[in-house]
Amino acid sequence: MHATENTGARYAMAIDLDKCTGCGACMVACAVENNVAVPPPAAAANRGLTWMAVHRTDNGQEWPAHRPVFIPIPCQQCEHAPCIHVCPVTAVQLDESTGIVGQVPARCMGCRYCMAACPYHARYFNYFDPTWPEGLEETLNPDVAPRMRGVAEKCNFCHGRLDRARERAAAEGRPADEVVAYVPACVEACPHGAITFGDSRDPASPMAQLARDPRAFRLLEALGTGPKVTYLSADPAVRRVGLSRLDMVRGATAVTADGAEGA
Amino acid sequence: MTMELTRRSLLKFMGGAVAGAVLSPLPWKLLDDASIWTQNSSLIARAPRGPVTWRDTTCTLCPVGCGLRARLVGEAFVSAWSRPSHPDAGAACPLGFALAQMRYHPARVRGACARDARSAAARWRMVDADATVAEIGRTLADLRAAGRLDQMAVLDLRPDRALSLRYREFLQRQGGGRYLVAPDAWQASAAAFTALAGSSLLAPAPAPSRARAVLAFGTPLADDPRGLALAPRDGSSGRPYHIQVDATATPTAARADRWLPARPGSELPLALAIAHVLVRDELSGDARALAAGAGGPEGSFAELVADFAPERVADACGLAPSDIRATAHELATHRPALVLGVGDPGAGPLGAEEETAIWCLSVLLGGPGAGAPLALRPSATALFGEPEAAATALSEVPDGSLELLLVDGSFPGAPLSPALLRRKLRGPDARIVALSPYAGGAAGAGADLLLPTPAPGEWLDDVPPPALAPVSSYAWSPVVAAAPDWAVHAADWLARLEAASGLQPDSADGSSAHRAGLERRAAALMAAGSGEVHDPRDGSTRPLTSLAGPEELVTVLDCGGAWSAPALATPAIALQLPGHRSALALRWRALAAGRAEALAAAGRPLVLLPGGGLATTGGGVAAPVLAKLGRESELLPDTRTAAVSPRTARQLGLRAGTRAELATAAGTRHVDVVHDASLPPGVVRVATGPDPLDLGEAPRADAATGRDLDVPSLCGAADRPVWRLAGATLKEVRRARD
Amino acid sequence: MDHHLIPRGLDRAPLSRFLLWLLPWLALSVWGGWAAVALFRDGLYHTNMDNRFAFGLWIIFDLAVIALGAGAFFLGFLTYLMRRHEFRQVLNTAVIVGFVCYSGAIATLAIDVGQPIRAWFAFWHANVHSMLTEVTFCITCYLVVLAIEYLPIVLKNRSLRPVKGALVLEANLHRLMIVFAGVGAFLSFFHQGSLGGMFGVLNGRPFAFREGVGIWPSTFFLFILSAIAAGPSFIMLIVMTVSRLSGKRLVDQFVYARLGRISGILMAAYALAKLADTVVWIFVTLPGLGFDAAEFYRHELFGTWVLFLELTVFGLLPATILLNRRRLEDRRWLVAGAVLTCLGVSFNRFVFTLQTLSVPTMSFDRFMIYWPSWQEWAVVAGVVAYGVLLYSFSFRYLNLFPRERELQPTVGRS
């Protein structure tokens, strides 16, 4: 293999599900940071643009055995992203220097093949002309370009913030290929410190340790997509959330004592 | 030589030209330009441009007052972020992150407005501000002349601020009138403690971090920004043993060491049964002495709780007697323990009876005292050395008794029912005047007249310590964006109203006087000389005494700094537990079977459990991005769905998505049925809080007909201070009605 | 009134009846056009697609018509390259149906993409790794080929006789037709395959993902097989319908049986390949991805009947019908076999598009369904109407069936 393959950063995220209370701060901060438009009130819920989407699930039991589980799902920034090779117009690319899967809205022609390809439902389509209630354009973030209708979009680990961090580094005279430290909006916003972010190739980064944490799991790892978002939970039942439903069922037959979901 | 132009040669020439052009850069350049052109559209919104600056401020969207960092691009206030260096350690919630959008909320008004609020369909119309002020002034003067000033009131949804003082001063100048408050769940809990302690100069400062065990009656400890939050279970070894009482597996209950799935509304019998076990089994060292009490005419606490053996109340609580006994023993072995009330703040206050009983448990288990989990701190009145306020709770005002009600709109998300407000009015000419930026939310939703004030972030307010905060604190909310010229400071409106009512105001410039009031408070803190100051200019925290003087404190507060002081070192009072002959004992016995039993009327087999929305807000104005969050996720249930457990749904024959009519003794509301396995059988839950399906213009409740009521009104909020439960029915209705 | 346009010796309905026939189709295409204008103007929120159902009715329709339109290239391939001259009798119809299917699919796609103004980016910023790029290139090129194949049929029209060049061009094109048939066959094999590949490569969607055979997923070959199985059946059904509507014998009877037999052979091959593919998918592919096939078929709408239907009623059953020589002679069995074949390939495209998106991937996903909005139906109806209109005009004014004149009873007038 090429010597260049392991140069550059691999920004990665770890989300501690034991700390997440489903407050939604990450979703709001993400929408504010990334100029995500508010769809018209009549719009179907499933047409929203939620780059960070906190899903609510449970252990499959009824009260009083019921336990809620909140799973924040940003784009998983897969190393072998299913969405990259399907895009006919080269609007999705893996940045070798950061490991971030970039989406170029200005290139996208809106065929939505990438959305069909993504198993995490982390891609969104602008069904509407993005509009803001009157005056609200004043609150748009100048570091992030607003998108137009008819294009796909998704989380990019706050590319605007990465650019700002790089500008700062350049202004301080640091070398251009140096890996800069920054945090995406959701990481900054989480009031419970549930989200960790950093370069997983940097052995000193907490990400490097978290990836080896026994509580760690990834979503649908068997698909081989190589997601860069790691989830953490001490609860084996919560860790099963990362598997396909089949594995949940199998797991339940193996551990019938805790009575997880039956077939 | 003649050149003949034939068709063939022309075609050949054109073919050659095309072939040649393809080899030239021209067509490719054109295609590239076309590609760039398609990437630009005039429909794409333009973000503001300019140098990026940051300004520290404090969130005023709820009474907690988290530290915020405002990002400005040029003069545009673009976004707000939490402040990890702030004493709250960066606790801001989604409301705060959406602060910038509150300035452009669709429900914001651009001038004085009026409508006939008696009619549910009435729309706001712009009116002349001077004429409106003159009209209200005349009403004031008339009431004063007729000696009917008790029919005039000011409702302050965030009491204890400098502006609150100004409202009281306004009433004094008029010569009367009522100063009203509508305590939220946290304030009601603190008020119950104050009543038990018998001193309005002290406030409870519970600190779970100092307890070895915490029993919480619904308190949302998983999410609390005021310093009560418990670390996740395996996060730290110093975490107290946590028992949570909750009807459903809330995020807090799911994180607790033990969850007691008590029936909704059974907090009182449960608390009394735990007290019973503590006293009977002599589990608390000084419980016997405390419970014996003074033995005076009120009797003893021990005799009072003797009636509440776990075996007797277990059914009402939906728990096994052994669970109750075990809880008491666990708390006793983990002393000092802290017991908290509050419940789900989205469901309204817990009721004075419950809160008092719960505080009694804390007293039995090791507080209040120096270093105890239940500490005390000075109330806002004591902190600033201000005259004591005679505030009346809104629920104590009889229906049909007010001619003019002024509502302060500084807390747009306060849990308040517009239908409840309107019932307090007498006669057809009675008016509600809102001093609010929004034609919606707590103040605007029920109002007839609206005098526009600046939006949050546009005016300097102060943030006194929130109810139940473990420490004393004080901060200001420095202005991060200029107010539009139609938005007038509430203090200026008050000055204009005073002038219009024929009084001579102290100063025509109300906002300058308000600023002077804030500075007086800073000077009072400085004079007391205790505590420390977080200075955002250098991120440092240093003793207050290290500041040069009140001017420097003002400078620090103007930069978004915060003052804080730990709870009092020594307990200033000895708490007296209520005896078996007290008035409270009578009320306790009346509610011994729990609120659900007391409320369930014949033929209403379900228990309506409100709540589950954003914990800090009621039916208020929410930023557009929060409306988006509510619509596009399952985190913020909307107020138009009713959740029932799958089992109950089967019994009622209600499939998910069915349109149904939810009826209580107070009225009805149309809802869509959803199934929610987290709910116990027999319970129907409807969210309170901002309706995520609308941006502030939801159809208003029609109090007159009792149809399509808001959730607090549906729970009978108009009749009693507690609106967290009601007996209800849920029946399918035909879709055609919509 | 339009006698001078109708090919000599052919009997066509009076103009008034023809116009009456056109009327409903015109109305449908106006309806579709109206919807298309709204979609171009306002965006795709008029559809019922959402973030989960990124593909909807239009993609199902596109895939189905492209598969059904495969008759054009496959019959051209058989006629010109395999020298099966009996298919010349239906070749013109195959070309027009192919042209209708491909142009209709491209028109639908142009509405389906969110930024139609950037549709050409697929060429300008092509991603050579994308199956969709392959599809776009091949379909566009093949549409040009179909246009070229269509041209000589048009040029033979009576009214163009006086134009000298037309005849020359027609004759020249005719001589070159074998080249175009070859190019068309090559392009078509690829894009029919790539359309299958589009789903087979979705490694994030275990329902669609298939093991590779060479550099292509197995669906690449399954889609080719099913398309060339359905193509002849579809052409046969079209010709039968036209013959019935016009009340004329248009081709020799044996041509129908030949078409049916070809469909039958290919359908048998497809059904067996599909069976093998399904077995490999269930026992090798899915366990490797952490999934179980049963998981995909436990939802209300898509039970195991889907798999059963695909393999038997829409696979082995038409194959057995169409492989039986006696049944091929029986018009009712022939039609039944052809209809099942066409339905089967359409159903396969439906399943690949919709069930792929419906079934959950993550454990906490919900099964979802989708129903198209009226605008989506209108566009599809409009494209179908456009096809009917184009074919109606072609049948009336062009000589589509070389044997038509001979096959008519002699009592007719000139």
Side-chain angles (χ1 to χ4, degrees):
Chain A
M1 287 286 167
H2 302 293
T4 52
E5 283 229 328
N6 276 330
T7 61
R10 279 295 175 270
Y11 288 111
M13 191 178 269
I15 304 178
D16 192 334
L17 299 185
D18 295 341
K19 288 183 182 169
C20 177
T21 63
C23 72
C26 52
M27 288 182 73
V28 168
C30 170
V32 167
E33 170 76 19
N34 292 299
N35 296 338
V36 172
V38 180
N46 205 20
R47 283 180 169 184
L49 310 166
T50 46
W51 293 13
M52 170 59 105
V54 181
H55 291 250
R56 187 201 163 114
T57 181
D58 53 60
N59 58 350
Q61 303 282 298
E62 283 197 27
W63 182 93
H66 180 97
R67 294 291 180 281
V69 181
F70 298 97
I71 309 167
I73 299 194
C75 168
Q76 305 284 305
Q77 313 291 352
C78 307
E79 189 66 20
H80 313 291
C83 55
I84 295 178
H85 66 85
V86 300
C87 177
V89 294
T90 334
V92 193
Q93 283 149 350
L94 183 90
D95 183 343
E96 278 303 330
S97 68
T98 57
I100 295 172
V101 178
Q103 167 82 25
V104 191
R107 170 76 58 79
C108 174
M109 68 172 186
C111 73
R112 303 185 295 287
Y113 190 14
C114 55
M115 299 170 69
C118 177
Y120 306 106
H121 315 309
R123 299 186 139 271
Y124 304 90
F125 184 74
N126 282 279
Y127 282 93
F128 298 89
D129 266 314
T131 51
W132 282 266
E134 198 189 336
L136 215 65
E137 289 99 336
E138 279 291 294
T139 66
L140 293 182
N141 178 3
D143 298 336
V144 178
R147 279 73 55 190
M148 53 177 65
R149 83 158 187 236
V151 300
E153 60 181 62
K154 67 169 193 79
C155 158
N156 51 23
F157 277 173
C158 283
H159 208 275
R161 287 175 171 237
L162 174 61
D163 281 346
R164 279 214 309 273
R166 282 176 166 165
E167 278 166 24
R168 272 199 303 275
E172 289 163 13
R174 282 187 271 151
D177 59 347
E178 191 184 285
V179 176
V180 294
Y182 81 102
V183 290
C186 54
V187 182
E188 177 177 344
C190 180
H192 310 295
I195 317 182
T196 317
F197 184 77
D199 177 11
S200 60
R201 279 192 182 156
D202 175 6
S205 151
M207 282 311 303
Q209 280 119 53
L210 282 172
R212 288 191 298 273
D213 194 301
R215 299 189 301 140
F217 67 96
R218 287 175 188 80
L219 293 180
L220 301 175
E221 216 169 350
L223 291 183
T225 49
K228 292 191 196 76
V229 178
T230 302
Y231 293 87
L232 301 160
S233 176
D235 185 346
V238 174
R239 285 206 295 273
R240 279 211 292 277
V241 160
L243 306 172
S244 73
R245 188 166 286 262
L246 162 79
D247 289 299
M248 272 182 81
V249 177
R250 267 196 204 137
T253 46
V255 236
T256 35
D258 69 5
E261 192 194 33
Chain B
M1 210 165 137
T2 55
M3 195 98 150
E4 200 181 338
L5 190 67
T6 63
R7 190 161 49 175
R8 179 175 287 257
S9 62
L10 188 67
L11 282 172
K12 272 184 179 169
F13 173 77
M14 282 167 66
V18 168
V22 169
L23 297 175
S24 80
L26 184 73
W28 312 105
K29 171 72 177 138
L30 281 175
L31 279 173
D32 225 31
D33 284 353
S35 154
I36 292 164
W37 173 75
T38 64
Q39 294 168 17
N40 292 293
S41 160
S42 60
L43 288 170
I44 302 178
R46 301 256 176 267
R49 297 279 155 189
V52 172
T53 48
W54 295 88
R55 216 172 282 171
D56 287 324
T57 187
T58 309
C59 180
T60 55
L61 291 174
C62 88
V64 174
C66 298
L68 286 181
R69 215 157 48 101
R71 183 166 182 241
L72 294 105
V73 175
E75 282 304 302
F77 172 28
V78 161
S79 55
W81 301 91
S82 55
R83 283 158 62 187
S85 64
H86 189 270
D88 68 18
C93 77
L95 291 177
F97 292 123
L99 179 68
Q101 295 198 346
M102 292 302 281
R103 299 181 60 215
Y104 302 102
H105 195 282
R108 184 157 189 193
V109 292
R110 290 157 177 265
C113 295
R115 68 171 170 184
D116 180 7
R118 281 167 303 171
S119 147
R123 298 223 150 253
W124 288 100
R125 58 180 197 282
M126 299 283 275
V127 291
D128 178 51
D130 292 332
T132 310
V133 166
E135 188 192 326
I136 303 167
R138 265 197 308 280
T139 311
L140 279 170
D142 290 350
L143 287 172
R144 205 166 55 225
R148 294 193 292 143
L149 276 172
D150 61 323
Q151 291 170 12
M152 194 267 284
V154 169
L155 175 58
D156 183 5
L157 295 170
R158 279 178 60 205
D160 291 341
R161 295 170 301 155
L163 188 61
S164 310
L165 276 183
R166 179 70 183 88
Y167 280 120
R168 282 153 57 191
E169 198 183 283
F170 173 81
L171 293 171
Q172 271 168 12
R173 292 230 187 103
Q174 293 294 337
R178 306 190 211 196
Y179 176 69
L180 306 178
V181 291
D184 66 11
W186 300 91
Q187 290 160 346
S189 177
F193 181 87
T194 305
L196 187 67
S199 164
S200 63
L201 295 176
L202 290 168
S209 57
R210 284 200 293 269
R212 285 185 59 224
V214 172
L215 171 65
F217 284 82
T219 335
L221 296 180
D223 255 336
D224 186 67
R226 72 197 71 212
L228 296 178
L230 293 167
R233 219 182 304 174
D234 48 301
S236 69
S237 52
R239 183 184 187 276
Y241 184 76
H242 173 204
I243 307 170
Q244 182 79 10
V245 179
D246 247 330
T248 65
T250 57
T252 308
R255 275 160 182 73
D257 296 289
R258 208 148 74 78
W259 167 40
L260 290 177
R263 285 179 61 186
S266 67
E267 291 88 354
L268 181 65
L270 179 57
L272 291 175
I274 293 171
H276 172 96
V277 178
L278 287 177
V279 172
R280 187 190 65 194
D281 298 356
E282 296 180 32
L283 295 174
S284 128
D286 44 359
R288 197 176 189 81
L290 275 169
E298 293 230 318
S300 80
F301 185 71
E303 246 177 276
L304 168 51
V305 295
D307 292 346
F308 295 93
E311 295 73 19
R312 282 192 59 189
V313 303
D315 277 350
C317 298
L319 297 168
S322 57
D323 281 341
I324 301 174
R325 279 195 300 271
T327 304
H329 282 264
E330 274 170 342
L331 291 172
T333 48
H334 289 86
R335 278 194 307 139
L338 179 66
V339 187
L340 289 170
V342 179
D344 174 3
L350 196 56
E353 294 83 5
E354 283 87 348
E355 289 288 0
T356 314
I358 290 165
W359 283 123
C360 285
L361 285 178
S362 266
V363 172
L364 283 175
L365 287 161
L374 176 54
L376 301 169
R377 56 177 171 79
S379 66
T381 313
L383 199 60
F384 306 111
E386 286 160 359
E388 256 183 77
T392 312
L394 181 64
S395 54
E396 288 167 27
V397 176
D399 285 356
S401 63
L402 296 177
E403 193 65 39
L404 181 67
L405 175 61
L406 233 60
V407 188
D408 169 66
S410 313
F411 184 7
L416 192 64
S417 153
L420 160 66
L421 267 189
R422 296 218 56 91
R423 286 193 199 185
K424 303 295 175 193
L425 298 182
R426 52 176 286 149
D429 295 329
R431 297 288 181 79
I432 294 179
V433 181
L435 299 173
S436 165
Y438 307 109
D448 306 270
L449 295 168
L450 207 138
L451 300 175
T453 52
E458 291 177 348
W459 65 290
L460 182 68
D461 200 358
D462 64 340
V463 182
L468 297 202
V471 295
S472 287
S473 60
Y474 186 62
W476 290 358
S477 67
V479 172
V480 291
D485 44 9
W486 70 77
V488 176
H489 197 290
D492 284 323
W493 283 123
L494 291 182
R496 287 172 70 178
L497 288 175
E498 276 169 357
S501 71
L503 298 173
Q504 194 59 47
D506 266 6
S507 147
D509 187 355
S511 46
S512 300
H514 175 249
R515 163 97 201 172
L518 295 182
E519 290 178 4
R520 268 199 303 282
R521 284 188 149 196
L525 281 184
M526 200 67 211
S530 64
E532 53 192 16
V533 169
H534 163 70
D535 186 345
R537 288 171 302 174
D538 56 6
S540 69
T541 300
R542 51 184 192 273
L544 183 70
T545 47
S546 71
L547 297 187
E551 296 78 21
E552 195 181 353
L553 181 58
V554 165
T555 311
V556 170
L557 292 172
D558 258 336
C559 295
W563 169 86
S564 62
L568 295 174
T570 50
I573 48 156
L575 272 172
Q576 195 78 50
L577 297 182
H580 69 287
R581 281 191 293 269
S582 63
L584 185 62
L586 278 177
R587 273 157 46 215
W588 277 359
R589 288 203 186 90
L591 288 171
R595 296 230 177 227
E597 302 290 310
L599 292 171
R604 301 202 186 277
L606 295 175
V607 175
L608 168 59
L609 184 69
L614 262 186
T616 43
T617 56
V621 168
V625 70
L626 281 176
K628 173 183 158 59
L629 170 73
R631 275 205 301 270
E632 295 167 6
S633 76
E634 294 164 310
L635 302 182
L636 205 59
D638 75 77
T639 59
R640 298 264 153 201
T641 56
V644 286
S645 77
R647 204 187 313 169
T648 305
R650 270 195 302 277
Q651 281 161 3
L652 298 173
L654 294 170
R655 278 176 301 142
T658 307
R659 190 82 165 137
E661 187 180 70
L662 179 66
T664 68
T668 64
R669 179 178 180 83
H670 281 133
V671 289
D672 292 321
V673 174
V674 294
H675 294 178
D676 187 339
S678 74
L679 292 174
V683 162
V684 51
R685 188 174 63 195
V686 179
T688 54
D691 190 337
L693 294 180
D694 94 290
L695 291 173
E697 290 195 37
R700 278 174 310 114
D702 191 342
T705 60
R707 279 169 60 186
D708 226 16
L709 284 181
D710 57 275
V711 180
S713 300
L714 202 57
C715 293
D719 310 326
R720 54 205 167 83
V722 181
W723 51 272
R724 51 176 54 227
L725 291 172
T729 56
L730 192 60
K731 284 199 184 78
E732 182 169 358
V733 290
R734 271 191 301 278
R735 280 268 174 190
R737 291 190 56 177
D738 295 305
Chain C
M1 278 198 295
D2 58 348
H3 286 309
H4 61 287
L5 291 173
I6 295 172
R8 234 183 278 276
L10 295 188
D11 183 29
R12 290 292 180 261
L15 184 61
S16 57
R17 227 173 87 195
F18 180 63
L19 290 177
L20 207 64
W21 156 257
L22 295 184
L23 217 57
W25 303 107
L26 274 171
L28 273 186
S29 51
V30 167
W31 187 43
W34 169 255
V37 167
L39 286 157
F40 279 131
R41 187 189 59 215
D42 306 338
L44 291 177
Y45 74 83
H46 285 313
T47 69
N48 274 351
M49 287 185 277
D50 54 29
N51 288 325
R52 181 79 167 270
F53 290 97
F55 293 162
L57 175 68
W58 292 335
I59 295 289
I60 300 169
F61 176 71
D62 286 345
L63 291 173
V65 295
I66 286 180
L68 296 175
F73 92 84
F74 189 57
L75 293 178
F77 170 79
L78 290 177
T79 313
Y80 290 110
L81 302 175
M82 295 284 119
R83 312 260 166 207
R84 301 286 299 267
H85 290 292
E86 69 268 31
F87 295 126
R88 231 180 247 285
Q89 291 197 28
V90 293
L91 198 57
N92 290 343
T93 289
V95 165
I96 294 169
V97 168
F99 183 81
V100 162
C101 286
Y102 279 79
S103 55
I106 288 177
T108 314
L109 272 176
I111 298 167
D112 196 6
V113 295
Q115 285 282 337
I117 205 171
R118 299 182 190 161
W120 55 285
F121 280 19
F123 304 98
W124 192 240
H125 300 291
N127 171 16
V128 293
H129 302 291
S130 173
M131 282 288 175
L132 196 55
T133 304
E134 206 170 314
V135 170
T136 316
F137 271 82
C138 289
I139 287 190
T140 319
C141 295
Y142 184 52
L143 183 64
V144 174
V145 171
L146 280 170
I148 293 170
E149 289 179 345
Y150 196 173
L151 199 57
I153 311 175
V154 179
L155 290 174
K156 269 193 228 161
N157 184 276
R158 239 164 90 182
S159 63
L160 291 173
R161 280 286 149 83
V163 184
K164 204 165 57 179
L167 212 59
V168 178
L169 186 60
E170 193 266 315
N172 285 334
L173 281 176
H174 203 86
R175 257 183 297 164
L176 285 172
M177 212 40 87
I178 185 161
V179 178
F180 290 119
V183 171
F186 175 79
L187 289 170
S188 293
F189 266 110
F190 264 96
H191 75 244
Q192 293 288 359
S194 301
L195 281 172
M198 265 183 72
F199 291 99
V201 296
L202 296 180
N203 59 327
R205 294 284 190 171
F207 181 79
F209 183 71
R210 291 295 187 279
E211 298 293 323
V213 179
I215 58 165
W216 290 293
S218 61
T219 45
F220 185 93
F221 304 99
L222 288 173
F223 269 51
I224 295 178
L225 260 181
S226 53
I228 58 180
S233 279
F234 189 59
I235 298 302
M236 179 179 89
L237 290 173
I238 296 273
V239 175
M240 277 182 180
T241 311
V242 174
S243 168
R244 193 168 194 120
L245 286 175
S246 62
K248 294 185 180 57
R249 284 184 62 190
L250 299 172
V251 295
D252 288 310
Q253 285 302 307
F254 74 92
V255 174
Y256 291 140
R258 294 271 169 88
L259 286 169
R261 185 160 169 77
I262 288 192
S263 270
I265 294 168
L266 292 166
M267 204 60 202
Y270 167 71
L272 293 176
K274 172 87 184 159
L275 191 67
D277 174 68
T278 306
V279 169
V280 172
W281 176 65
I282 291 175
F283 294 106
V284 181
T285 315
L286 287 178
L289 297 175
F291 280 79
D292 180 30
E295 203 47 47
F296 298 128
Y297 296 102
R298 51 181 276 208
H299 303 282
E300 217 169 285
L301 197 62
F302 297 107
T304 37
W305 63 268
V306 170
L307 205 54
F308 177 77
L309 206 64
E310 273 215 73
L311 289 173
T312 57
V313 180
F314 288 153
L316 292 171
L317 181 61
T320 11
I321 293 173
L322 296 176
L323 281 178
N324 185 316
R325 277 183 198 281
R326 251 201 353 256
R327 299 245 156 86
L328 284 177
E329 300 304 322
D330 183 333
R331 179 62 72 93
R332 277 168 306 177
W333 279 110
L334 187 60
V335 168
V339 164
L340 282 177
T341 304
C342 293
L343 281 179
V345 68
S346 306
F347 184 69
N348 175 259
R349 304 314 191 248
F350 162 80
V351 166
F352 261 106
T353 310
L354 212 67
Q355 195 172 355
T356 301
L357 300 175
S358 272
V359 294
T361 46
M362 292 180 289
S363 62
F364 47 87
D365 268 352
R366 242 162 288 168
F367 176 80
M368 287 177 161
I369 49 166
Y370 142 96
W371 184 255
S373 70
W374 71 259
Q375 287 92 341
E376 289 173 79
W377 288 115
V379 167
V380 166
V383 169
V384 170
Y386 145 78
V388 174
L389 289 173
L390 193 71
Y391 191 87
S392 301
F393 278 105
S394 300
F395 176 70
R396 187 173 176 84
Y397 297 121
L398 307 174
N399 189 359
L400 298 188
F401 297 96
R403 297 259 299 139
E404 183 183 352
R405 237 167 299 187
E406 290 113 84
L407 289 171
Q408 299 318 308
T410 44
V411 287
R413 307 130 298 157
S414 73

